[in-house]
Coordinates of all heavy atoms in Angstrom, one line a residue:
E154 N -21.7 12.1 -9.8 CA -21.6 12.1 -8.4 C -21.7 13.5 -7.8 O -22.2 13.7 -6.7 CB -20.2 11.5 -8.0 CG -20.2 10.0 -8.2 CD -18.9 9.3 -7.8 OE1 -17.9 10.1 -7.5 OE2 -18.8 8.1 -7.7
Q155 N -21.2 14.5 -8.5 CA -21.4 15.8 -8.0 C -22.8 16.3 -7.9 O -23.3 16.9 -7.0 CB -20.6 16.8 -8.9 CG -20.6 18.2 -8.4 CD -20.0 18.4 -7.1 OE1 -19.0 17.8 -6.7 NE2 -20.7 19.2 -6.2
R156 N -23.6 15.8 -8.9 CA -25.1 16.1 -8.9 C -25.7 15.4 -7.7 O -26.6 16.0 -7.1 CB -25.7 15.7 -10.2 CG -25.2 16.4 -11.4 CD -25.4 17.9 -11.3 NE -26.8 18.3 -11.4 CZ -27.2 19.6 -11.2 NH1 -26.4 20.5 -10.9 NH2 -28.5 19.8 -11.3
L157 N -25.3 14.2 -7.4 CA -25.9 13.5 -6.2 C -25.5 14.2 -4.9 O -26.4 14.4 -4.0 CB -25.3 12.1 -6.2 CG -25.8 11.1 -7.3 CD1 -25.1 9.8 -7.2 CD2 -27.3 10.9 -7.2
I158 N -24.3 14.7 -4.8 CA -23.9 15.5 -3.7 C -24.7 16.8 -3.5 O -25.2 17.1 -2.4 CB -22.4 15.8 -3.7 CG1 -21.6 14.6 -3.5 CG2 -22.0 16.9 -2.7 CD1 -20.1 14.8 -3.8
E159 N -25.0 17.4 -4.6 CA -25.8 18.6 -4.6 C -27.2 18.3 -4.2 O -27.9 19.0 -3.4 CB -25.8 19.3 -6.0 CG -24.5 19.9 -6.4 CD -24.5 20.4 -7.8 OE1 -25.5 20.2 -8.5 OE2 -23.4 20.9 -8.3
G160 N -27.7 17.1 -4.6 CA -29.1 16.7 -4.3 C -29.2 16.4 -2.8 O -30.1 16.8 -2.1
M161 N -28.1 15.8 -2.2 CA -28.2 15.5 -0.7 C -28.1 16.8 0.1 O -28.7 16.9 1.1 CB -27.0 14.6 -0.4 CG -27.2 13.1 -0.8 SD -25.9 12.0 -0.3 CE -24.7 12.3 -1.6
K162 N -27.4 17.8 -0.5 CA -27.3 19.1 0.3 C -28.6 19.8 0.3 O -28.8 20.7 1.2 CB -26.2 20.0 -0.4 CG -24.8 19.5 -0.1 CD -23.7 20.4 -0.8 CE -22.3 19.9 -0.4 NZ -21.3 20.8 -1.1
V163 N -29.5 19.5 -0.6 CA -30.8 20.2 -0.5 C -31.9 19.3 0.0 O -33.1 19.5 -0.1 CB -31.3 20.7 -1.9 CG1 -30.3 21.8 -2.4 CG2 -31.4 19.6 -2.9
G164 N -31.5 18.1 0.7 CA -32.4 17.3 1.4 C -32.8 16.0 0.8 O -33.6 15.3 1.4
N165 N -32.3 15.7 -0.4 CA -32.6 14.4 -1.0 C -31.7 13.3 -0.4 O -30.5 13.5 -0.3 CB -32.5 14.4 -2.5 CG -33.5 15.4 -3.1 OD1 -34.7 15.0 -3.3 ND2 -33.1 16.6 -3.5
S166 N -32.2 12.1 -0.1 CA -31.4 11.0 0.4 C -30.6 10.4 -0.8 O -31.1 10.3 -1.9 CB -32.2 10.0 1.1 OG -32.9 9.2 0.2
L167 N -29.4 9.9 -0.5 CA -28.7 9.1 -1.5 C -29.4 7.9 -2.0 O -29.5 7.6 -3.2 CB -27.3 8.7 -0.9 CG -26.4 7.8 -1.7 CD1 -26.1 8.5 -3.0 CD2 -25.2 7.4 -1.0
S169 N -32.6 7.5 -2.2 CA -33.7 7.8 -3.1 C -33.3 8.2 -4.5 O -34.0 8.1 -5.4 CB -34.5 9.0 -2.5 OG -33.8 10.2 -2.6
M170 N -32.0 8.5 -4.6 CA -31.5 8.9 -5.9 C -30.8 7.7 -6.6 O -30.2 7.9 -7.7 CB -30.5 10.1 -5.8 CG -31.2 11.3 -5.3 SD -30.0 12.7 -5.2 CE -29.1 12.3 -3.7
F198 N -33.0 17.5 -9.2 CA -33.3 17.5 -7.7 C -34.1 18.8 -7.4 O -34.0 19.8 -8.1 CB -32.0 17.5 -6.9 CG -31.1 16.3 -7.2 CD1 -29.9 16.5 -7.7 CD2 -31.6 15.0 -7.0 CE1 -29.0 15.4 -8.0 CE2 -30.7 14.0 -7.3 CZ -29.5 14.2 -7.8
T199 N -34.8 18.8 -6.3 CA -35.6 19.9 -5.9 C -34.7 21.2 -5.8 O -33.6 21.1 -5.1 CB -36.3 19.7 -4.5 OG1 -37.1 18.5 -4.7 CG2 -37.1 20.9 -4.1
G200 N -35.0 22.2 -6.4 CA -34.3 23.5 -6.3 C -33.0 23.6 -7.1 O -32.3 24.5 -7.0
I201 N -32.8 22.5 -8.0 CA -31.6 22.5 -8.8 C -32.0 22.3 -10.3 O -32.8 21.4 -10.5 CB -30.6 21.4 -8.4 CG1 -30.2 21.6 -6.9 CG2 -29.4 21.4 -9.3 CD1 -29.3 20.5 -6.4

Side-chain angles (χ1 to χ4, degrees):
E154 288 184 347
Q155 185 57 44
R156 298 301 289 175
L157 293 174
I158 290 170
E159 292 172 0
M161 285 183 278
K162 287 181 177 179
V163 297
N165 295 282
S166 74
L167 174 61
S169 71
M170 295 183 286
F198 303 118
T199 302
I201 302 177

